[in-house]
PDB file of all heavy atoms in Angstrom:
ATOM      1  N   ALA A 288    -149.894  -6.825-157.915  1.00  0.00           N
ATOM      2  CA  ALA A 288    -150.228  -5.478-157.849  1.00  0.00           C
ATOM      3  C   ALA A 288    -151.723  -5.238-158.336  1.00  0.00           C
ATOM      4  O   ALA A 288    -152.493  -4.567-157.744  1.00  0.00           O
ATOM      5  CB  ALA A 288    -149.330  -4.620-158.662  1.00  0.00           C
ATOM      6  N   LEU A 289    -152.009  -5.944-159.477  1.00  0.00           N
ATOM      7  CA  LEU A 289    -153.401  -5.836-159.991  1.00  0.00           C
ATOM      8  C   LEU A 289    -154.420  -6.376-159.012  1.00  0.00           C
ATOM      9  O   LEU A 289    -155.498  -5.842-158.827  1.00  0.00           O
ATOM     10  CB  LEU A 289    -153.488  -6.617-161.295  1.00  0.00           C
ATOM     11  CG  LEU A 289    -153.000  -5.990-162.564  1.00  0.00           C
ATOM     12  CD1 LEU A 289    -152.947  -6.979-163.704  1.00  0.00           C
ATOM     13  CD2 LEU A 289    -153.925  -4.840-162.947  1.00  0.00           C
ATOM     14  N   ASP A 292    -154.787  -4.089-156.115  1.00  0.00           N
ATOM     15  CA  ASP A 292    -155.606  -2.962-156.565  1.00  0.00           C
ATOM     16  C   ASP A 292    -157.095  -3.240-156.555  1.00  0.00           C
ATOM     17  O   ASP A 292    -157.906  -2.569-155.958  1.00  0.00           O
ATOM     18  CB  ASP A 292    -155.128  -2.487-157.962  1.00  0.00           C
ATOM     19  CG  ASP A 292    -155.959  -1.353-158.494  1.00  0.00           C
ATOM     20  OD1 ASP A 292    -155.939  -0.299-157.831  1.00  0.00           O
ATOM     21  OD2 ASP A 292    -156.514  -1.448-159.584  1.00  0.00           O
ATOM     22  N   SER A 295    -158.436  -3.855-152.966  1.00  0.00           N
ATOM     23  CA  SER A 295    -158.481  -2.645-152.169  1.00  0.00           C
ATOM     24  C   SER A 295    -159.601  -1.683-152.706  1.00  0.00           C
ATOM     25  O   SER A 295    -160.316  -1.064-151.937  1.00  0.00           O
ATOM     26  CB  SER A 295    -157.108  -1.937-152.181  1.00  0.00           C
ATOM     27  OG  SER A 295    -157.124  -0.818-151.390  1.00  0.00           O
ATOM     28  N   ARG A 296    -159.706  -1.609-154.052  1.00  0.00           N
ATOM     29  CA  ARG A 296    -160.786  -0.850-154.575  1.00  0.00           C
ATOM     30  C   ARG A 296    -162.168  -1.390-154.161  1.00  0.00           C
ATOM     31  O   ARG A 296    -163.078  -0.549-153.843  1.00  0.00           O
ATOM     32  CB  ARG A 296    -160.751  -0.863-156.156  1.00  0.00           C
ATOM     33  CG  ARG A 296    -159.763   0.074-156.767  1.00  0.00           C
ATOM     34  CD  ARG A 296    -159.620  -0.194-158.258  1.00  0.00           C
ATOM     35  NE  ARG A 296    -158.650   0.647-158.879  1.00  0.00           N
ATOM     36  CZ  ARG A 296    -158.975   1.602-159.800  1.00  0.00           C
ATOM     37  NH1 ARG A 296    -160.221   1.781-160.157  1.00  0.00           N
ATOM     38  NH2 ARG A 296    -158.025   2.365-160.293  1.00  0.00           N
ATOM     39  N   GLY A 299    -162.815  -0.192-150.835  1.00  0.00           N
ATOM     40  CA  GLY A 299    -163.111   1.263-150.878  1.00  0.00           C
ATOM     41  C   GLY A 299    -164.526   1.531-151.330  1.00  0.00           C
ATOM     42  O   GLY A 299    -165.190   2.384-150.741  1.00  0.00           O
ATOM     43  N   ILE A 300    -164.979   0.795-152.310  1.00  0.00           N
ATOM     44  CA  ILE A 300    -166.343   1.030-152.825  1.00  0.00           C
ATOM     45  C   ILE A 300    -167.359   0.625-151.763  1.00  0.00           C
ATOM     46  O   ILE A 300    -168.293   1.330-151.405  1.00  0.00           O
ATOM     47  CB  ILE A 300    -166.588   0.246-154.123  1.00  0.00           C
ATOM     48  CG1 ILE A 300    -165.692   0.845-155.236  1.00  0.00           C
ATOM     49  CG2 ILE A 300    -168.072   0.312-154.525  1.00  0.00           C
ATOM     50  CD1 ILE A 300    -165.717   0.070-156.542  1.00  0.00           C
ATOM     51  N   ASN A 303    -167.773   3.002-149.032  1.00  0.00           N
ATOM     52  CA  ASN A 303    -168.243   4.399-149.363  1.00  0.00           C
ATOM     53  C   ASN A 303    -169.490   4.450-150.243  1.00  0.00           C
ATOM     54  O   ASN A 303    -169.982   5.541-150.452  1.00  0.00           O
ATOM     55  CB  ASN A 303    -167.071   5.035-150.138  1.00  0.00           C
ATOM     56  CG  ASN A 303    -165.915   5.467-149.214  1.00  0.00           C
ATOM     57  OD1 ASN A 303    -165.987   6.477-148.575  1.00  0.00           O
ATOM     58  ND2 ASN A 303    -164.933   4.623-149.212  1.00  0.00           N
ATOM     59  N   ALA A 304    -170.030   3.332-150.699  1.00  0.00           N
ATOM     60  CA  ALA A 304    -171.216   3.388-151.547  1.00  0.00           C
ATOM     61  C   ALA A 304    -172.446   3.838-150.728  1.00  0.00           C
ATOM     62  O   ALA A 304    -172.544   3.556-149.544  1.00  0.00           O
ATOM     63  CB  ALA A 304    -171.491   2.099-152.204  1.00  0.00           C
ATOM     64  N   TYR A 305    -173.341   4.569-151.436  1.00  0.00           N
ATOM     65  CA  TYR A 305    -174.595   4.933-150.828  1.00  0.00           C
ATOM     66  C   TYR A 305    -175.767   4.205-151.468  1.00  0.00           C
ATOM     67  O   TYR A 305    -176.900   4.212-150.918  1.00  0.00           O
ATOM     68  CB  TYR A 305    -174.823   6.447-150.945  1.00  0.00           C
ATOM     69  CG  TYR A 305    -174.129   7.206-149.845  1.00  0.00           C
ATOM     70  CD1 TYR A 305    -172.756   7.399-149.873  1.00  0.00           C
ATOM     71  CD2 TYR A 305    -174.805   7.695-148.738  1.00  0.00           C
ATOM     72  CE1 TYR A 305    -172.108   8.085-148.866  1.00  0.00           C
ATOM     73  CE2 TYR A 305    -174.214   8.385-147.700  1.00  0.00           C
ATOM     74  CZ  TYR A 305    -172.838   8.549-147.779  1.00  0.00           C
ATOM     75  OH  TYR A 305    -172.195   9.223-146.755  1.00  0.00           O
ATOM     76  N   ILE A 306    -175.578   3.559-152.591  1.00  0.00           N
ATOM     77  CA  ILE A 306    -176.586   2.810-153.305  1.00  0.00           C
ATOM     78  C   ILE A 306    -175.856   1.564-153.839  1.00  0.00           C
ATOM     79  O   ILE A 306    -174.852   1.702-154.531  1.00  0.00           O
ATOM     80  CB  ILE A 306    -177.207   3.576-154.444  1.00  0.00           C
ATOM     81  CG1 ILE A 306    -177.871   4.874-153.966  1.00  0.00           C
ATOM     82  CG2 ILE A 306    -178.190   2.705-155.210  1.00  0.00           C
ATOM     83  CD1 ILE A 306    -178.378   5.756-155.063  1.00  0.00           C
ATOM     84  N   ILE A 307    -176.367   0.334-153.501  1.00  0.00           N
ATOM     85  CA  ILE A 307    -175.672  -0.804-153.995  1.00  0.00           C
ATOM     86  C   ILE A 307    -176.623  -1.979-154.115  1.00  0.00           C
ATOM     87  O   ILE A 307    -177.456  -2.225-153.227  1.00  0.00           O
ATOM     88  CB  ILE A 307    -174.438  -1.130-153.142  1.00  0.00           C
ATOM     89  CG1 ILE A 307    -173.531  -2.102-153.876  1.00  0.00           C
ATOM     90  CG2 ILE A 307    -174.823  -1.701-151.787  1.00  0.00           C
ATOM     91  CD1 ILE A 307    -172.093  -2.128-153.276  1.00  0.00           C
ATOM     92  N   GLU A 311    -173.898  -6.587-156.889  1.00  0.00           N
ATOM     93  CA  GLU A 311    -172.578  -5.953-156.782  1.00  0.00           C
ATOM     94  C   GLU A 311    -171.978  -6.147-155.391  1.00  0.00           C
ATOM     95  O   GLU A 311    -170.776  -6.368-155.244  1.00  0.00           O
ATOM     96  CB  GLU A 311    -172.750  -4.406-157.038  1.00  0.00           C
ATOM     97  CG  GLU A 311    -171.366  -3.718-157.151  1.00  0.00           C
ATOM     98  CD  GLU A 311    -171.435  -2.200-157.248  1.00  0.00           C
ATOM     99  OE1 GLU A 311    -172.566  -1.642-157.223  1.00  0.00           O
ATOM    100  OE2 GLU A 311    -170.342  -1.566-157.356  1.00  0.00           O
ATOM    101  N   MET A 363    -180.295   1.382-150.843  1.00  0.00           N
ATOM    102  CA  MET A 363    -179.710   2.396-149.921  1.00  0.00           C
ATOM    103  C   MET A 363    -179.488   1.805-148.542  1.00  0.00           C
ATOM    104  O   MET A 363    -178.444   2.086-147.913  1.00  0.00           O
ATOM    105  CB  MET A 363    -180.617   3.634-149.882  1.00  0.00           C
ATOM    106  CG  MET A 363    -180.712   4.349-151.266  1.00  0.00           C
ATOM    107  SD  MET A 363    -181.908   5.722-151.264  1.00  0.00           S
ATOM    108  CE  MET A 363    -180.953   6.927-150.373  1.00  0.00           C
TER     109      MET A 363
ATOM    110  N   ALA B 264    -179.397  11.179-154.069  1.00  0.00           N
ATOM    111  CA  ALA B 264    -178.823   9.920-153.578  1.00  0.00           C
ATOM    112  C   ALA B 264    -177.836   9.313-154.573  1.00  0.00           C
ATOM    113  O   ALA B 264    -176.724   8.881-154.225  1.00  0.00           O
ATOM    114  CB  ALA B 264    -179.938   8.916-153.266  1.00  0.00           C
ATOM    115  N   LEU B 265    -178.237   9.325-155.844  1.00  0.00           N
ATOM    116  CA  LEU B 265    -177.322   8.839-156.897  1.00  0.00           C
ATOM    117  C   LEU B 265    -176.031   9.627-156.925  1.00  0.00           C
ATOM    118  O   LEU B 265    -174.928   9.096-157.104  1.00  0.00           O
ATOM    119  CB  LEU B 265    -177.975   8.913-158.282  1.00  0.00           C
ATOM    120  CG  LEU B 265    -178.985   7.838-158.632  1.00  0.00           C
ATOM    121  CD1 LEU B 265    -179.736   8.189-159.898  1.00  0.00           C
ATOM    122  CD2 LEU B 265    -178.199   6.528-158.860  1.00  0.00           C
ATOM    123  N   ASP B 268    -173.872   8.895-153.932  1.00  0.00           N
ATOM    124  CA  ASP B 268    -173.284   7.561-154.137  1.00  0.00           C
ATOM    125  C   ASP B 268    -172.066   7.689-155.077  1.00  0.00           C
ATOM    126  O   ASP B 268    -170.998   7.168-154.786  1.00  0.00           O
ATOM    127  CB  ASP B 268    -174.333   6.617-154.764  1.00  0.00           C
ATOM    128  CG  ASP B 268    -173.766   5.233-155.020  1.00  0.00           C
ATOM    129  OD1 ASP B 268    -173.292   4.600-154.068  1.00  0.00           O
ATOM    130  OD2 ASP B 268    -173.848   4.744-156.184  1.00  0.00           O
ATOM    131  N   SER B 271    -169.208   9.635-153.378  1.00  0.00           N
ATOM    132  CA  SER B 271    -168.593   8.894-152.281  1.00  0.00           C
ATOM    133  C   SER B 271    -167.814   7.659-152.798  1.00  0.00           C
ATOM    134  O   SER B 271    -166.701   7.354-152.303  1.00  0.00           O
ATOM    135  CB  SER B 271    -169.696   8.452-151.278  1.00  0.00           C
ATOM    136  OG  SER B 271    -169.063   7.793-150.174  1.00  0.00           O
ATOM    137  N   ARG B 272    -168.327   7.013-153.811  1.00  0.00           N
ATOM    138  CA  ARG B 272    -167.602   5.894-154.423  1.00  0.00           C
ATOM    139  C   ARG B 272    -166.278   6.384-155.027  1.00  0.00           C
ATOM    140  O   ARG B 272    -165.257   5.721-154.909  1.00  0.00           O
ATOM    141  CB  ARG B 272    -168.419   5.221-155.533  1.00  0.00           C
ATOM    142  CG  ARG B 272    -169.463   4.260-155.032  1.00  0.00           C
ATOM    143  CD  ARG B 272    -170.334   3.815-156.199  1.00  0.00           C
ATOM    144  NE  ARG B 272    -171.371   2.904-155.790  1.00  0.00           N
ATOM    145  CZ  ARG B 272    -171.429   1.620-156.141  1.00  0.00           C
ATOM    146  NH1 ARG B 272    -170.564   1.163-156.991  1.00  0.00           N
ATOM    147  NH2 ARG B 272    -172.395   0.873-155.667  1.00  0.00           N
ATOM    148  N   GLY B 275    -163.919   6.826-152.356  1.00  0.00           N
ATOM    149  CA  GLY B 275    -163.502   5.451-151.889  1.00  0.00           C
ATOM    150  C   GLY B 275    -162.467   4.843-152.807  1.00  0.00           C
ATOM    151  O   GLY B 275    -161.450   4.224-152.334  1.00  0.00           O
ATOM    152  N   ILE B 276    -162.669   4.912-154.090  1.00  0.00           N
ATOM    153  CA  ILE B 276    -161.730   4.329-155.065  1.00  0.00           C
ATOM    154  C   ILE B 276    -160.368   5.048-154.950  1.00  0.00           C
ATOM    155  O   ILE B 276    -159.350   4.458-154.871  1.00  0.00           O
ATOM    156  CB  ILE B 276    -162.264   4.407-156.462  1.00  0.00           C
ATOM    157  CG1 ILE B 276    -163.495   3.450-156.585  1.00  0.00           C
ATOM    158  CG2 ILE B 276    -161.239   3.982-157.465  1.00  0.00           C
ATOM    159  CD1 ILE B 276    -164.296   3.543-157.848  1.00  0.00           C
ATOM    160  N   ASN B 279    -158.325   4.122-152.100  1.00  0.00           N
ATOM    161  CA  ASN B 279    -157.916   2.681-151.980  1.00  0.00           C
ATOM    162  C   ASN B 279    -157.273   2.073-153.157  1.00  0.00           C
ATOM    163  O   ASN B 279    -156.808   0.945-153.062  1.00  0.00           O
ATOM    164  CB  ASN B 279    -159.202   1.888-151.647  1.00  0.00           C
ATOM    165  CG  ASN B 279    -159.655   2.112-150.204  1.00  0.00           C
ATOM    166  OD1 ASN B 279    -159.178   1.545-149.252  1.00  0.00           O
ATOM    167  ND2 ASN B 279    -160.621   2.987-150.030  1.00  0.00           N
ATOM    168  N   ALA B 280    -157.208   2.763-154.277  1.00  0.00           N
ATOM    169  CA  ALA B 280    -156.600   2.169-155.468  1.00  0.00           C
ATOM    170  C   ALA B 280    -155.093   2.010-155.325  1.00  0.00           C
ATOM    171  O   ALA B 280    -154.455   2.776-154.638  1.00  0.00           O
ATOM    172  CB  ALA B 280    -156.949   3.025-156.686  1.00  0.00           C
ATOM    173  N   TYR B 281    -154.568   0.918-155.949  1.00  0.00           N
ATOM    174  CA  TYR B 281    -153.127   0.742-155.963  1.00  0.00           C
ATOM    175  C   TYR B 281    -152.527   0.885-157.317  1.00  0.00           C
ATOM    176  O   TYR B 281    -151.310   0.991-157.507  1.00  0.00           O
ATOM    177  CB  TYR B 281    -152.835  -0.726-155.501  1.00  0.00           C
ATOM    178  CG  TYR B 281    -152.767  -0.824-153.984  1.00  0.00           C
ATOM    179  CD1 TYR B 281    -153.916  -0.796-153.210  1.00  0.00           C
ATOM    180  CD2 TYR B 281    -151.537  -0.846-153.293  1.00  0.00           C
ATOM    181  CE1 TYR B 281    -153.876  -0.840-151.843  1.00  0.00           C
ATOM    182  CE2 TYR B 281    -151.502  -0.862-151.875  1.00  0.00           C
ATOM    183  CZ  TYR B 281    -152.671  -0.876-151.170  1.00  0.00           C
ATOM    184  OH  TYR B 281    -152.636  -0.899-149.814  1.00  0.00           O
ATOM    185  N   ILE B 282    -153.422   0.947-158.333  1.00  0.00           N
ATOM    186  CA  ILE B 282    -152.970   1.197-159.699  1.00  0.00           C
ATOM    187  C   ILE B 282    -154.037   2.146-160.322  1.00  0.00           C
ATOM    188  O   ILE B 282    -155.214   1.811-160.292  1.00  0.00           O
ATOM    189  CB  ILE B 282    -152.973  -0.105-160.550  1.00  0.00           C
ATOM    190  CG1 ILE B 282    -151.982  -1.104-159.917  1.00  0.00           C
ATOM    191  CG2 ILE B 282    -152.559   0.192-162.016  1.00  0.00           C
ATOM    192  CD1 ILE B 282    -151.959  -2.444-160.618  1.00  0.00           C
ATOM    193  N   ILE B 283    -153.615   3.269-160.853  1.00  0.00           N
ATOM    194  CA  ILE B 283    -154.629   4.147-161.447  1.00  0.00           C
ATOM    195  C   ILE B 283    -154.016   5.034-162.554  1.00  0.00           C
ATOM    196  O   ILE B 283    -152.858   5.491-162.441  1.00  0.00           O
ATOM    197  CB  ILE B 283    -155.275   5.044-160.316  1.00  0.00           C
ATOM    198  CG1 ILE B 283    -156.572   5.694-160.801  1.00  0.00           C
ATOM    199  CG2 ILE B 283    -154.315   6.115-159.780  1.00  0.00           C
ATOM    200  CD1 ILE B 283    -157.506   6.186-159.700  1.00  0.00           C
ATOM    201  N   GLU B 287    -158.368   8.151-165.320  1.00  0.00           N
ATOM    202  CA  GLU B 287    -159.309   7.774-164.243  1.00  0.00           C
ATOM    203  C   GLU B 287    -159.163   8.728-163.045  1.00  0.00           C
ATOM    204  O   GLU B 287    -160.135   9.095-162.413  1.00  0.00           O
ATOM    205  CB  GLU B 287    -159.118   6.315-163.810  1.00  0.00           C
ATOM    206  CG  GLU B 287    -160.252   5.861-162.887  1.00  0.00           C
ATOM    207  CD  GLU B 287    -160.043   4.459-162.326  1.00  0.00           C
ATOM    208  OE1 GLU B 287    -159.035   3.833-162.636  1.00  0.00           O
ATOM    209  OE2 GLU B 287    -160.917   4.031-161.562  1.00  0.00           O
ATOM    210  N   MET B 339    -148.766   3.059-160.453  1.00  0.00           N
ATOM    211  CA  MET B 339    -148.724   2.659-159.041  1.00  0.00           C
ATOM    212  C   MET B 339    -148.272   3.834-158.168  1.00  0.00           C
ATOM    213  O   MET B 339    -148.839   4.008-157.089  1.00  0.00           O
ATOM    214  CB  MET B 339    -147.731   1.478-158.904  1.00  0.00           C
ATOM    215  CG  MET B 339    -148.246   0.245-159.645  1.00  0.00           C
ATOM    216  SD  MET B 339    -147.051  -1.171-159.615  1.00  0.00           S
ATOM    217  CE  MET B 339    -147.244  -1.703-157.949  1.00  0.00           C
TER     218      MET B 339
END
Side-chain angles (χ1 to χ4, degrees):
Chain A
L289 278 169
D292 179 57
S295 184
R296 280 172 182 246
I300 293 171
N303 288 279
Y305 277 77
I306 300 176
I307 196 162
E311 189 186 2
M363 295 175 75
Chain B
L265 279 169
D268 180 56
S271 185
R272 279 172 181 246
I276 293 171
N279 288 280
Y281 276 76
I282 300 175
I283 195 162
E287 189 186 1
M339 296 175 74

